[in-house]
């Protein structure tokens, strides 16, 4: 039977992020995405102008209706929350549906490059720590890892030239309860890497150097990890596929005039994710 993943995330008209990314990726990977929308926006919050319809008030109704219909899910995958109350609802959702065999993947979407996203609040960051503590796997970028662990982003990232850079990041990540952690988008002189920590194992996936940050790449990456894990891949193999898919999509974007706020050309690469079953 087709596996089902609840995707708790927003729907943004521009930015090719959150649900726009997850629904496409999971479907291509043979997983049914079941959206629990946190907000509907005209564009993601880094755009100069946008409007946002916060759906916090609708979330308990979704959860109750799904409970009444006795829905079952193979995964709960959470992304962007508009406020800390929504994270409370995500915890409630997990309490109701995270039975044996249901994976909780938390992408603790909060910020990048040492800063919180424009509309993100510190109170939500506290609630995110609790949610991440319940997860089977988390996919923070370096900024989000620092927020979760209390590490200082600027002092950690200032060591990027040192030989023990990845060990320092691994040491920080191991302070967290979660045993499977993929730290994404780690910038080094040579490129952008991902660090996959799984129990006692730590492996680095190295990628090309980029001068810009593209909207939605973290969401695409985590969505592929979610699909990969549900399709029986290890965290490392899932992250490797995710890294190659995102890398190719960025390369394709760079072939044409682009604006990084609008996201990457991933649509033509969805076939990279489709396995013949
Ligand atoms: O891709 C992360 C993200 C998701 N959703 C919204 C955002 C952002 C990043 O800014 O604003 C609404």
């Amino acid at each position: 039977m087709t596996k089902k993943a609840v995707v708790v995330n927003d729907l943004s008209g521009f930015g090719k992020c959150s649900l726009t990314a997850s629904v496409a990726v999971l479907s291509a990977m043979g997983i049914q995405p079941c959206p629990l929308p946190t907000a509907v926006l005209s564009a993601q919050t880094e755009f100069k102008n946008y409007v946002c319809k916060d759906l916090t008030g609708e979330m308990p109704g979704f959860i109750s209706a799904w409970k009444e219909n006795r829905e079952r899910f193979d995964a709960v995958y959470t992304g962007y929350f508009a406020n800390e109350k929504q994270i409370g609802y995500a915890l409630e959702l997990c309490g109701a549906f995270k039975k044996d065999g249901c994976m909780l993947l938390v992408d603790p979407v909060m910020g990048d490059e040492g800063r919180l996203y424009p509309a993100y609040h510190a109170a939500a960051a506290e609630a995110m720590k609790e949610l991440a503590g319940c997860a089977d796997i988390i996919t923070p970028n370096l900024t989000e890892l620092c927020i979760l662990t209390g590490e200082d982003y600027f002092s950690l990232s200032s060591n990027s030239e040192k030989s023990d850079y990845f060990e320092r990041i691994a040491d920080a990540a191991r302070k967290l309860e979660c045993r499977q952690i993929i730290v994404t988008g780690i910038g080094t002189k040579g490129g952008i890497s991902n660090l996959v920590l799984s129990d006692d194992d730590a492996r680095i996936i190295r990628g090309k150097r980029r001068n810009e940050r593209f909207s939605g790449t973290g969401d695409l990456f985590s969505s592929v990890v979610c699909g990969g894990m549900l399709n029986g891949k290890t965290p490392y193999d899932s992250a490797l596929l995710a890294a190659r898919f995102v890398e190719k999509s960025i390369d394709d974007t760079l072939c044409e005039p682009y604006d990084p706020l609008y996201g990457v050309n991933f649509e033509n690469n969805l076939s990279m994710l489709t396995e013949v079953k």
Side-chain angles (χ1 to χ4, degrees):
M1 208 158 77
T2 304
K3 288 189 175 172
K4 282 171 279 181
V6 182
V7 188
V8 189
N9 217 331
D10 69 272
L11 183 65
S12 287
F14 284 92
K16 296 204 207 175
C17 57
S18 13
L19 280 172
T20 317
S22 303
V23 168
V25 164
L26 289 170
S27 297
M29 297 182 84
I31 309 294
Q32 180 187 345
C34 306
L36 171 39
T38 54
V40 179
L41 298 94
S42 59
Q44 56 103 330
T45 61
E46 291 168 302
F47 276 72
K48 187 160 168 259
N49 305 299
Y50 69 91
V51 290
C52 174
K53 175 73 184 160
D54 183 316
L55 296 178
T56 310
E58 313 305 319
M59 291 176 71
F62 272 59
I63 299 169
S64 308
W66 285 349
K67 271 196 219 168
E68 282 157 24
N69 287 344
R70 298 186 190 286
E71 303 297 359
R72 292 276 174 270
F73 300 103
D74 301 285
V76 174
Y77 160 30
T78 70
Y80 183 85
F81 294 104
N83 56 57
E84 68 272 20
K85 204 167 174 189
Q86 297 192 337
I87 303 180
Y89 290 136
L91 284 162
E92 190 184 323
L93 177 84
C94 293
F97 297 104
K98 200 182 164 318
K99 302 278 148 51
D100 277 355
C102 177
M103 170 182 81
L104 172 60
L105 187 157
V106 174
D107 181 12
V109 179
M110 293 188 280
D112 208 351
E113 295 175 335
R115 287 182 297 272
L116 288 176
Y117 287 128
Y120 210 83
H121 298 291
E126 280 310 305
M128 189 64 96
K129 289 183 191 166
E130 190 183 346
L131 183 63
C134 304
D136 299 296
I137 178 160
I138 61 173
T139 54
N141 60 31
L142 196 55
T143 302
E144 292 155 350
L145 179 74
C146 289
I147 297 169
L148 293 176
T149 56
E151 251 354 92
D152 183 71
Y153 172 84
F154 295 100
S155 63
L156 188 61
S157 58
S158 67
N159 288 305
S160 66
E161 313 273 290
K162 300 219 172 102
S163 59
D164 64 349
Y165 185 43
F166 288 99
E167 271 162 54
R168 287 181 191 223
I169 297 171
D171 288 345
R174 287 207 173 95
K175 287 187 194 159
L176 297 171
E177 245 167 280
C178 188
R179 288 343 299 151
Q180 302 186 102
I181 301 173
I182 305 174
V183 186
T184 63
I186 304 169
T188 62
K189 203 169 142 207
I192 297 278
S193 300
N194 300 291
L195 177 64
V196 185
L197 299 168
S198 195
D199 298 311
D200 291 332
D201 191 39
R203 293 169 80 181
I204 302 166
I205 297 172
R206 294 181 194 275
K208 284 187 200 165
R209 190 181 148 75
R210 306 288 180 193
N211 295 324
E212 278 161 309
R213 223 199 103 239
F214 289 85
S215 169
T217 50
D219 302 325
L220 289 167
F221 187 98
S222 299
S223 302
V224 177
V225 169
C226 182
M229 299 276 295
L230 287 176
N231 284 335
K233 288 188 194 297
T234 61
Y236 178 79
D237 287 341
S238 303
L240 193 60
L241 179 61
R244 297 296 164 253
F245 171 68
V246 171
E247 185 164 89
K248 171 79 168 68
S249 302
I250 296 176
D251 283 346
D252 289 358
T253 308
L254 297 176
C255 292
E256 294 169 7
Y258 67 90
D259 176 340
L261 275 186
Y262 284 81
V264 296
N265 295 348
F266 70 84
E267 295 84 350
N268 285 326
N269 297 320
L270 287 168
S271 60
M272 286 173 72
L273 308 176
T274 304
E275 284 173 25
V276 181
K277 285 187 187 161

